[in-house]
Each structure stands twice: as C-alpha cells, then as structure tokens.
Amino acid sequence: MAMTGQTSCSSMSNHTKERVTLAKVTLENFYSNLISQHEEREMRQQKLEKVMDQEGLGDEEKRQRRSQHARKETEFLRLKRTRLGLDDFESLKVIGRGAFGEVRLVQKKDTGHVYAMKILRKADMLEKEQVGHIRAERDILVEADSLWVVKMFYSFQDKMNLYLIMEFLPGGDMMTLLMKKDTLTEEATQFYIAETVLAIDSIHRLGFIHRDIKPDNLLLDSKGHVKLSDFGLCTGLKKAHRTEFYRNLNHSLPRDFTFQNMNSKRKAETWKRNRRQLAFSTVGTPDYIAPEVFMQNGYNKLCDWWSLGVIMYEMLIGYPPFCSETPQETYRKVMNWRETLTFPPEVPISEKAKDLILRFCCESENRIGSSGVEEIKSNPFFEGVDYDHIRERPAAIPIEIKSIDDTSNFDEFPESDILQPSATVVSNHSDVNLKNKDWVFINYTYKRFEGLTARGAIPSYMKSGKR
C-alpha cells in the first residue's frame, strides 16, 4: 500500500499538485482568518472596557459607549465584505520608486483621506522570488499596531499588482534628510538613534527581525518623529516568511566612483552623489548589513543593532563606514570590520559617540543589546533622553507641512504606466503563467478596523486643504 501511495504521489502532475496546494492554503487561511477576527474583536472589546474604567464612566455612559462600539463592529463587518480596489482611490503623485514597484500619494474618494499606496508588480515578485518577503511585510504591518511602525490600513490586489495602503508620512525619510545635511549634530543624532532604538525594539517584541534597517526605511511623520517602514526583508516565525537573503552580491554597480585615497569630505560627496542609484537599484547596498547575516550560519535580532551603529556613524561622519566602489568591496570591508571600521581624524566626534558605535558594530556575542534593550537605553551617549515621552517632545529637526498633499520632503519622480494593465506584464512572464502562480498571493487582502470605521478623522496638520 505504501508503495502504491508513493507511486501515485510521484506520478501526480504539477497542475494537480498546485491545485492541491491551493485547496490546502485556502482552507488554512479561511479558518485562520475566522480565529484571528474573533480574537481581534475580543481585544477591541477588552480595550474599550479598560478605557472606560480608566475614565471612570458611569453605568449609563458605559452602556452608550458599548452600543456605539457594537454599531462600529457591525459596520466593520459590512464594509469588510465590500471589495476595495484602485477605483476607490485617486492617484495624486509618485513619491517613491524602487526595483519592484513604486509608491504613490493617493486620496480615498469617499472619505478624502490621504494615503501612501505601495504598488508591487506580481510578475516581478515571482521572478525575483520575493513572495516570502512580501508576505512577511504584509503580516508584520497587520500585526504591528504601534506608534513606531508605519500603519497599514488596507491591502488588496488585482491581476497584475499588489497594493498596500499605508499612512502618508509627509516628513520623508532619513536618507533624504541626510542628503540635505552634511552631518547631524550629536544632539540630533542622539534623538534619531534613541527613537530608532524604541522602534526596532517594538518589532523585536513581536518576534520579528527587520534585517534591512537603513536610512531609507526610517520615515519621518508630520512632526519629525521616526517610524519604521519597508518590512520586505523582515523575517518572522511563519514558514511563509522563509526565503534566502541577498543572493546577488556578485552583481556589480557601474564603476563610476572610487573611494581609494579620498579624504572624508570627498568620500561624503561621492557617497551622496551615488546614494540614489543604490536606493533604486535591484542590487541595493550591503553597507548596513551585519557580518553574521552574510555568513549564513545563524544570526538573531542583534543584527538590527549593528545596522543602527552604521547609521549612527553615517549621521555623524557623513557617509557609512564601509562604503566602497562596488557591493563586493563593501562586503569585504564589512567582513573585515576590525581593520576597516575607522574614524577620520578630520571629523571629530565625542568619545561617548565613538564608544557606542563600536558597541553596536562588533561581534554579535559582545554587541550592546545582547542582554536586552535596557543595556542600549542606559548607554552614556543617551544621557538625558526621556524615552517615555520622546514622541511628545519636539523633534530634533522640525518638519514644516503646508497642506494635505505636501510632498516637498520627497524627491520628484516622473509619472509611470504601472497602473496600466498592458504595461505591467513582464516579458518573462506570460498572462497564463501569472494566473497559474496567483495562488501564492492568497489571503493578501486586509482592512484595518480603524480605517473602515473612522470617518472624516483627517489629522490636524492636513486640515488646511489641498494646494
């Protein structure tokens, strides 16, 4: 009997295997969603009860609040059944572009709320084996309901693209801020690194490792405070998130710049000149990646603290410590960090700052944070930081927001045809092939409770209207 079963399994066609997998995934997701919806509803009810107790409401006031909450829950269930798509949003402007898609500023037609819409091409996700990455990103954005993480309100898909509808953070990103400044003061660096410590810790507490902490992924809200974004390389506990990481170190960037025999000023200028190219390419930059990640023999959440040390160095010195002519050379420098991590004498920084960078960028077993985040927070460099109220205090560099769709803190991008059906078919992927593989994106759709039940709650900084 065992032999018969083995034979029938091995003779099963690929089409049949895929249909079996589709059925299995569909059933697993159906019941998983039922359980998570029930748990989320219970959590919202418990949160309501806790808030009412803290406010000391009377029985009648509690009854009215519960009744109002029940109506919201009913509305949420009704709205969840409605299909959300591109037609529900008006595209205003392209505000970001990457190797696998782009980010647009959009406005939801029925509420007038403004969001950032991240668009990812399915064909590219399949071709570059990014499915595990984008599943992890979608899952952590659903799970991480935190002040320190960019909030996702909706996700949906059509035949060609995946869409993530996220809060629009008009402050831009840390990469853009660093491009505008030569270096940051130690006071400003203390503020941004302290906030990023809290942001990274918030996802570590959920059981995730970000793995891609870099200035491009540190966004700034309307008041200039940090939020983490871009969890495409984030790894978690789910099997759907497992994928190989940074396979293409053997690809070279164009050799149009060199870091040999340059002083720190010329290094900073050259780094800035080529930084955009690194940000928008499929190759990316290994500048911020911890050496143990490259070694592929095991790493943990401490790799994110290494990345933060590299960012801190860049803030104070003007370029990251391992920047080189090619990704291969950067990789070599990262792996030989004991010899290559040096501080240029012409850009003096305090001993406290230097010491913290060296505590971040060292072997993982000795790295700061190995005994917990409190070890980092209590470092002398952060003396005077009020972690409990840091988001309530003014940011180190204030952000000026003029209107609901102010994109002055973003680069200018030309319009694209990514939303045109005929333009999104990649040559290596036929329509039929894409349809056959589409089951891997099942259960991608998501609608956040606050997103569907809040009406007219436009943030105060947006109330000045469109330009």
Side-chain angles (χ1 to χ4, degrees):
M1 286 294 289
M3 288 296 292
T4 308
Q6 238 177 0
T7 306
S8 62
C9 183
S10 60
S11 62
M12 191 185 294
S13 70
N14 287 335
H15 175 73
T16 305
K17 285 178 185 175
E18 243 179 35
R19 299 301 296 177
V20 169
T21 306
L22 173 58
K24 181 174 177 287
V25 171
T26 303
L27 286 170
E28 282 179 354
N29 280 302
F30 175 77
Y31 288 107
S32 174
N33 284 340
L34 282 181
I35 293 167
S36 62
Q37 284 173 26
H38 175 74
E39 289 174 347
E40 288 168 7
R41 187 167 183 146
E42 289 290 308
M43 283 175 60
R44 288 193 292 268
Q45 187 66 42
Q46 289 168 14
K47 187 176 178 181
L48 174 66
E49 296 295 333
K50 185 178 178 181
V51 169
M52 291 193 300
D53 288 341
Q54 288 173 346
E55 292 177 1
L57 299 183
D59 289 344
E60 179 58 26
E61 288 176 304
K62 283 185 177 181
R63 188 193 65 78
Q64 290 178 2
R65 190 78 71 86
R66 289 188 191 109
S67 177
Q68 184 183 28
H69 179 76
R71 286 196 297 273
K72 273 193 172 186
E73 289 284 2
T74 303
E75 183 187 16
F76 179 57
L77 288 174
R78 179 181 64 80
L79 291 171
K80 273 195 84 169
R81 290 191 291 269
T82 61
R83 192 174 182 85
L84 198 65
L86 270 180
D87 290 344
D88 296 292
F89 298 89
E90 180 188 354
S91 177
L92 303 178
K93 188 178 184 181
V94 179
I95 57 173
R97 186 159 286 143
F100 303 112
E102 65 185 33
V103 180
R104 287 176 176 250
L105 183 69
V106 298
Q107 189 165 33
K108 197 161 185 284
K109 292 176 181 177
D110 62 345
T111 63
H113 291 193
V114 168
Y115 299 100
M117 174 190 280
K118 185 172 183 177
I119 307 162
L120 298 167
R121 292 179 291 265
K122 285 183 178 181
D124 286 354
M125 298 295 103
L126 290 166
E127 185 179 11
K128 304 294 184 182
E129 298 180 340
Q130 297 291 307
V131 174
H133 293 165
I134 61 105
R135 294 296 320 193
E137 176 170 41
R138 180 251 182 224
D139 289 350
I140 194 174
L141 287 171
V142 168
E143 206 168 322
D145 191 6
S146 164
L147 285 171
W148 297 107
V149 173
V150 61
K151 190 183 287 290
M152 181 182 77
F153 290 98
Y154 316 103
S155 61
F156 57 92
Q157 59 181 297
D158 57 25
K159 192 168 81 168
M160 305 311 299
N161 298 321
L162 302 174
Y163 303 91
L164 295 168
I165 307 298
M166 298 180 288
E167 64 177 319
F168 170 54
L169 299 179
D173 61 39
M174 185 59 64
M175 181 186 80
T176 304
L177 183 67
L178 291 177
M179 297 277 286
K180 290 177 182 175
K181 310 281 183 182
D182 287 331
T183 56
L184 299 186
T185 65
E186 292 209 6
E187 184 182 13
T189 300
Q190 182 200 61
F191 169 80
Y192 290 119
I193 297 297
E195 287 212 330
T196 309
V197 165
L198 297 177
I200 293 172
D201 182 54
S202 73
I203 64 163
H204 285 177
R205 288 171 184 269
L206 290 172
F208 288 94
I209 308 170
H210 193 287
R211 299 200 302 183
D212 199 23
I213 299 292
K214 57 185 179 181
D216 322 47
N217 296 338
L218 303 181
L219 303 187
L220 301 173
D221 68 13
S222 61
K223 295 182 178 178
H225 293 277
V226 167
K227 288 202 179 196
L228 271 183
S229 78
D230 208 337
F231 297 89
L233 291 179
C234 193
T235 184
L237 305 175
K238 298 182 181 180
K239 61 185 177 183
H241 302 160
R242 294 175 195 155
T243 186
E244 291 203 27
F245 180 53
Y246 278 100
R247 294 178 175 179
N248 51 357
L249 276 176
N250 57 343
H251 288 99
S252 295
L253 286 175
R255 298 175 63 89
D256 59 351
F257 58 100
T258 176
F259 286 90
Q260 303 305 315
N261 305 317
M262 284 189 186
N263 62 27
S264 59
K265 185 178 179 183
R266 284 192 62 207
K267 270 190 181 180
E269 289 170 354
T270 307
W271 170 252
K272 286 181 182 179
R273 199 162 55 243
N274 294 279
R275 187 60 173 86
R276 297 286 181 210
Q277 179 188 349
L278 292 166
F280 303 147
S281 71
T282 54
V283 177
T285 170
D287 277 274
Y288 307 94
I289 306 301
E292 66 265 25
V293 174
F294 289 128
M295 291 167 70
Q296 295 186 346
N297 57 3
Y299 58 89
N300 55 28
K301 64 184 180 182
L302 295 175
C303 68
D304 287 340
W305 299 129
W306 169 286
S307 304
L308 189 57
V310 176
I311 293 173
M312 182 176 170
Y313 183 106
E314 183 176 355
M315 287 177 172
L316 294 169
I317 305 298
Y319 53 87
F322 310 111
C323 61
S324 302
E325 187 177 352
T326 65
Q328 296 93 331
E329 180 63 16
T330 298
Y331 166 78
R332 189 194 65 77
K333 284 188 176 182
V334 170
M335 299 308 293
N336 293 284
W337 59 269
R338 289 175 182 85
E339 289 76 41
T340 57
L341 179 52
T342 59
F343 295 88
E346 63 268 27
V347 188
I349 63 173
S350 71
E351 288 302 314
K352 285 182 182 179
K354 195 179 294 186
D355 176 71
L356 180 55
I357 290 169
L358 293 173
R359 294 291 313 282
F360 278 132
C361 298
C362 64
E363 51 279 299
S364 58
E365 57 267 26
N366 297 324
R367 193 170 300 155
I368 192 169
S370 56
S371 62
V373 72
E374 291 304 321
E375 183 185 9
I376 301 174
K377 290 163 69 173
S378 60
N379 184 272
F381 180 76
F382 296 118
E383 186 180 357
V385 172
D386 181 1
Y387 289 100
D388 292 333
H389 303 97
I390 193 167
R391 282 199 84 93
E392 299 157 25
R393 305 286 166 82
I397 300 173
I399 303 293
E400 185 182 348
I401 305 300
K402 301 183 182 71
S403 63
I404 189 173
D405 57 353
D406 187 350
T407 57
S408 57
N409 294 304
F410 293 82
D411 286 337
E412 291 292 325
F413 293 91
E415 274 297 320
S416 75
D417 54 4
I418 192 171
L419 299 180
Q420 303 302 317
S422 60
T424 51
V425 180
V426 175
S427 57
N428 292 352
H429 285 269
S430 68
D431 230 2
V432 175
N433 190 32
L434 188 58
K435 187 177 179 182
N436 290 341
K437 297 288 186 183
D438 210 41
W439 65 266
V440 301
F441 301 109
I442 196 168
N443 199 37
Y444 193 79
T445 301
Y446 173 75
K447 298 183 179 82
R448 189 174 289 278
F449 180 79
E450 301 95 313
L452 287 183
T453 57
R455 296 285 164 181
I458 297 177
S460 56
Y461 73 86
M462 290 183 173
K463 288 181 179 175
S464 55
K466 291 172 71 173
R467 280 173 293 178

